[in-house]
Amino acid sequence: MDGLTVRLAGSADAESGDFGELLPDRWRGGGNRRSLVAVDPSGRVLGHCRGIDNAAHPGSRVLVLEVGPEVRRMGIDDALLRAQIELSAVPLTMKIHANQTDDMALARRFGGVAIQLTPPWRRVVDDELRAWADAHRGDTEPIHDADREAIRELEADHYRAQHARWSPAAAREVMLDYFVEDHRPGSPSAYHPDRSVLVRRDAEVAAAGLLWPGSPEEGREVTLLAWPYEGPHFRRDKEACLAAVIDACVDGEVLLVDAHLTETEEYRMMAEVPVAPIDATNDWMALVHIPVPGAPRPVPLDPALIPPEAAWVRDLS
């Protein structure tokens, strides 16, 4: 577009109300993000993007990009992403679903590489899901305040092992601090204390199922943890925790349970748990890295792992 300018976003841009996700640039004082806007000669904001530092994954930055639909095909998104790449020293991460064809095309134009694929994650509590729970119950216990520190350590260790092969997480002490508010009693971001469970082995916390804040209609995320990672009891203990969380739900409640294609045991386990109908909000999702000059090139997802129902990801692998 003639006369297009891409610049750092300021407070006035964020306060304009043109884009709900627009935030001003911030580079000092923590929570760093590079926030850019694309403006026409009159100063009207046509779109924006952010590259957000990720404390849990220092080797990449989260990309948020929003462009008005009337200018999407006029190169505004390309101009924003090109400027964001110039500001970044590590790859930018996009999350792309099958119906997001514009984002997919944008990622391809900039050499995007799919590094992970996640299957549909919505589960609706109904007779079918309860039947699965009936077949997978185990010896679970409620989580008490005295268990919270052990659960935080379990989450940090599990998370680091879970991502080590494809998106390495930060050091253990960083991850322990990263999760601290999620395990503090009374914290608004903490897991539901009365509907989360654990499994003990040899008197030590070996697994947990954590139900997070949310709404019955939109869904509540469930985190399943077990240690040792992919050890002999990994799958059985996770299944027992999920069954106990399901037992505490009412019919019609929506549970959001993550899984990753390359995490073999995790993926096989969740593939057997009944899933909600597939739609635009509950379909396969690709994690795509946009390469940046001077940084190691992202390692692509093995095309042989991609199932037929997610064949569209092959263009990014």
Side-chain angles (χ1 to χ4, degrees):
M1 173 183 285
D2 292 338
L4 176 72
T5 301
V6 176
R7 57 167 173 78
L8 295 175
S11 298
D13 300 313
E15 293 166 2
S16 68
D18 293 332
F19 295 93
E21 293 289 316
L22 203 167
L23 296 174
D25 184 65
R26 182 174 66 202
W27 190 239
R28 291 183 175 85
N32 293 331
R33 59 177 179 252
R34 301 318 319 239
S35 186
L36 303 167
V37 290
V39 297
D40 67 11
S42 71
R44 180 171 67 105
V45 175
L46 303 174
H48 71 98
C49 72
R50 290 198 306 281
I52 309 165
D53 279 0
N54 189 342
H57 296 279
S60 62
R61 307 183 80 200
V62 177
L63 177 69
V64 174
L65 190 147
E66 187 180 11
V67 175
E70 74 280 4
V71 296
R72 184 76 198 215
R73 300 186 184 280
M74 298 172 67
I76 309 301
D77 46 357
D78 290 67
L80 285 165
L81 182 51
R82 189 175 299 110
Q84 189 65 246
I85 289 171
E86 291 176 0
L87 293 176
S88 185
V90 294
L92 299 159
T93 302
M94 298 178 70
K95 294 182 177 181
I96 303 178
H97 287 84
N99 67 316
Q100 294 174 306
T101 54
D102 286 343
D103 286 343
M104 209 178 306
L106 177 66
R108 283 200 299 269
R109 290 196 295 273
F110 283 85
V113 176
I115 63 165
Q116 188 57 269
L117 189 58
T118 65
W121 72 333
R122 290 170 60 89
R123 268 77 184 176
V124 177
V125 179
D126 56 12
D127 290 344
E128 188 178 15
L129 195 61
R130 292 197 187 282
W132 180 92
D134 287 343
H136 293 88
R137 286 195 190 88
D139 190 13
T140 60
E141 306 174 22
I143 295 175
H144 301 291
D145 284 353
D147 302 311
R148 286 179 180 264
E149 182 59 25
I151 299 294
R152 181 166 68 112
E153 292 180 358
L154 172 64
E155 183 168 22
D157 290 337
H158 182 278
Y159 190 94
R160 294 185 73 244
Q162 181 186 48
H163 291 83
R165 290 175 285 209
W166 52 277
S167 182
R172 188 175 192 265
E173 59 270 21
V174 174
M175 296 308 301
L176 285 170
D177 184 64
Y178 182 81
F179 289 126
V180 69
E181 280 302 314
D182 294 345
H183 296 267
R184 191 190 304 280
S187 167
S189 66
Y191 53 84
H192 198 298
D194 301 322
R195 296 175 60 187
S196 298
V197 298
L198 61 79
V199 170
R200 293 188 201 276
R201 290 190 178 275
D202 299 323
E204 300 292 334
V205 174
L210 310 179
L211 182 70
W212 299 97
S215 69
E217 299 78 20
E218 296 180 3
R220 291 190 173 97
E221 189 168 351
V222 179
T223 297
L224 300 175
L225 309 169
W227 194 261
Y229 187 74
E230 295 190 341
H233 307 293
F234 178 87
R235 177 167 176 169
R236 186 187 320 162
D237 289 349
K238 279 194 170 188
E239 288 172 335
C241 289
L242 180 56
V245 171
I246 292 168
D247 286 343
C249 292
V250 299
D251 286 351
E253 225 174 321
V254 177
L255 301 178
L256 309 174
V257 193
D258 207 358
H260 305 92
L261 182 64
T262 63
E263 300 304 297
T264 308
E265 194 67 18
E266 174 186 273
Y267 174 69
R268 287 175 179 167
M269 178 188 77
M270 291 310 304
E272 296 182 7
V273 181
V275 71
I278 306 299
D279 59 28
T281 63
N282 191 44
D283 204 343
W284 289 81
M285 182 190 74
L287 293 175
V288 178
H289 273 187
I290 304 298
V292 302
R297 180 143 182 99
V299 178
L301 182 68
D302 182 355
L305 295 176
I306 300 172
E309 54 268 36
W312 54 272
V313 180
R314 295 183 187 279
D315 290 340
L316 298 168
S317 61

